[in-house]
Amino acid sequence: MYQSGGLETAMSSIQPPAQAPRDPTEAYRAERARLLVAFGEKLRAARERRSLSQEALADVVNVHRTHVGALELGQREPGLAMLLILAHGLEVSPGALLEGLSVPIERKAPTHSKRAP
């Protein structure tokens, strides 16, 4: 005999997985964001140890104060030259600004396809 609501009740009790597998691009972005924030915290700590304001550091390294602020908040990623300039301006080694940062595990998916031989 058919019972109404049986299948609906059974289906409503099925819960989606706690966390579905993430898109590799999303995982890459999340890990990169965490890395930039961690770098920004190290940059801020180094600046504060030298008793410099963001504006004073910006003057030393010849960038706008908002650029220093964006780096410290993890909103901008410094290039190699900027990393060296910041380290010089703070009178620390570039390694001091990078020490303790985790190496990213996630990699951005390649945007090109391999050619057939």
Side-chain angles (χ1 to χ4, degrees):
M1 177 174 245
Y2 176 76
Q3 295 178 344
S4 69
L7 181 59
E8 290 174 16
T9 304
M11 292 301 287
S12 67
S13 67
I14 297 175
Q15 297 294 320
Q19 187 173 18
R22 292 175 24 176
D23 172 20
T25 303
E26 179 185 331
Y28 168 79
R29 285 185 188 132
E31 190 167 13
R32 182 173 175 264
R34 285 190 298 273
L35 180 63
L36 291 176
V37 168
F39 172 79
E41 290 169 355
K42 291 187 76 62
L43 178 62
R44 176 178 287 130
R47 176 181 58 77
E48 289 175 346
R49 275 194 301 278
R50 298 268 301 132
S51 300
L52 293 173
S53 65
Q54 286 182 348
E55 189 168 3
L57 177 59
D59 288 342
V60 169
V61 299
N62 197 28
V63 297
H64 196 273
R65 180 198 56 79
T66 58
H67 187 85
V68 173
L71 287 167
E72 289 185 358
L73 292 172
Q75 296 171 341
R76 295 205 53 158
E77 182 172 352
L80 178 58
M82 180 52 61
L83 177 65
L84 295 170
I85 291 167
L86 288 167
H88 185 263
L90 292 167
E91 298 178 1
V92 299
S93 71
L97 295 176
L98 300 175
E99 186 176 19
L101 297 179
S102 61
V103 176
I105 295 170
E106 296 293 336
R107 300 291 188 261
K108 192 173 186 179
T111 56
H112 63 285
S113 60
K114 293 185 178 182
R115 293 186 209 175

